[in-house]
Every structure is written in C-alpha cells, then in structure tokens.
Amino acid sequence: MKAYLIDLREKIILAYPQGDTSIRKVAHRFGVAKSFVQKLLSMKKTQGHVKPRQQGGAIKGELYGYSAQLAAMVEQYSDATLLEYCEHWATTHNNWVSTSPMCRALQKQKLTVKKDVTQQPRKNRKSPKVDVLIATALD
C-alpha cells in the first residue's frame, strides 16, 4: 500500500488545531483512521515533519551473498542431495541451513541438485506382494 501524500498529511495536521474538533472528526472528514491522525500529530510534535517513512525492503535469505560459495560447493559435490549440501554448509561455514532455504538459493542460481543416476545401481521398486499377485494372476 502506498503512503498518503504529504499534501493530505499537512491538511490533516492543519485541520486539527482549527476550531473545536476532535481527532475522530478530523479522521472522518478526511476518510482516514483515527490512529493515523494520532500518528501524524505525534510525528509533527516529535520530528517536526509528517513525511512518510521509507518502507521496508525485501527480507534477504540466509544464503544471500554466498552465490560463489554455493556454485563451488555444487561443482565439487555434484551428486549430493539437499541434506548433504546442508550438512556440508554447516561444517564449512558453522551455520546450519535447512533444506528449504538451500533449495531456494540453488534454484535462484539455476544450479541443479539432481543426483547422477547413471552411476548408481537401479533399485527394484516393486514390492514382493506385487510379484506374487502377478504370478498368481498368470496361472
């Protein structure tokens, strides 16, 4: 949400001391919240102006700024899983990072985390019950 214009803020500040009016009436007149008028009056008294404060920026991730180290880690351990990357990061940087921020950081850099399946033996994924059911169905 954008901040109210300085012109509106100054009109609100000028409207309050004029005549016998309350903060609620000023807020209703300008279509703002009562707490906003109170905040403006407090700002004018303490800071001397009613300029809006700078809005906060995006929250940086735990691995922000470590792009070179992440790329080197992925290049060195190309077959590691996310959990192994987290463990390696914890031992080398003394900072445990869970798999979610690790995954997000690697995805932002477009670094792959898939294991190389050509070097691993293929596992049979069928359960023994399925083999028995197929054998009985063929008989």
Side-chain angles (χ1 to χ4, degrees):
M1 183 175 167
K2 290 188 174 182
Y4 289 115
L5 297 174
I6 296 176
D7 185 43
L8 175 66
R9 291 168 174 253
E10 290 173 351
K11 285 180 183 179
I12 292 171
I13 291 297
L14 291 176
Y16 180 69
Q18 293 175 353
D20 294 331
T21 186
S22 67
I23 292 177
R24 275 200 180 102
K25 289 180 183 177
V26 171
H28 181 70
R29 179 176 162 199
F30 288 99
V32 296
K34 181 186 112 185
S35 61
F36 179 69
V37 176
Q38 290 171 332
K39 184 180 94 170
L40 285 180
L41 292 171
S42 173
M43 281 178 64
K44 182 69 173 177
K45 185 185 288 186
T46 59
Q47 298 175 3
H49 63 82
V50 290
K51 294 179 186 174
R53 290 185 235 136
Q54 184 178 6
Q55 294 182 353
I59 298 173
K60 307 288 189 231
E62 293 178 61
L63 298 172
Y64 180 78
Y66 291 103
S67 58
Q69 292 91 337
L70 288 171
M73 180 180 68
V74 171
E75 185 178 329
Q76 185 178 5
Y77 304 105
S78 59
D79 287 346
T81 63
L82 274 175
L83 186 59
E84 291 170 343
Y85 283 140
C86 294
E87 290 171 354
H88 176 72
W89 191 263
T91 57
T92 57
H93 291 86
N94 291 332
N95 181 20
W96 173 258
V97 178
S98 66
T99 56
S100 296
M102 180 63 73
C103 183
R104 283 192 300 269
L106 295 176
Q107 284 176 345
K108 283 181 184 176
Q109 294 184 22
K110 295 182 173 58
L111 297 172
T112 181
V113 294
K114 291 185 178 178
K115 294 185 101 177
D116 188 5
V117 294
T118 59
Q119 296 179 359
Q120 297 177 354
R122 188 171 188 151
K123 295 180 181 176
N124 186 4
R125 297 189 179 174
K126 289 190 278 182
S127 68
K129 292 180 184 178
V130 173
D131 290 335
V132 172
L133 289 175
I134 292 173
T136 57
L138 293 176
D139 290 335

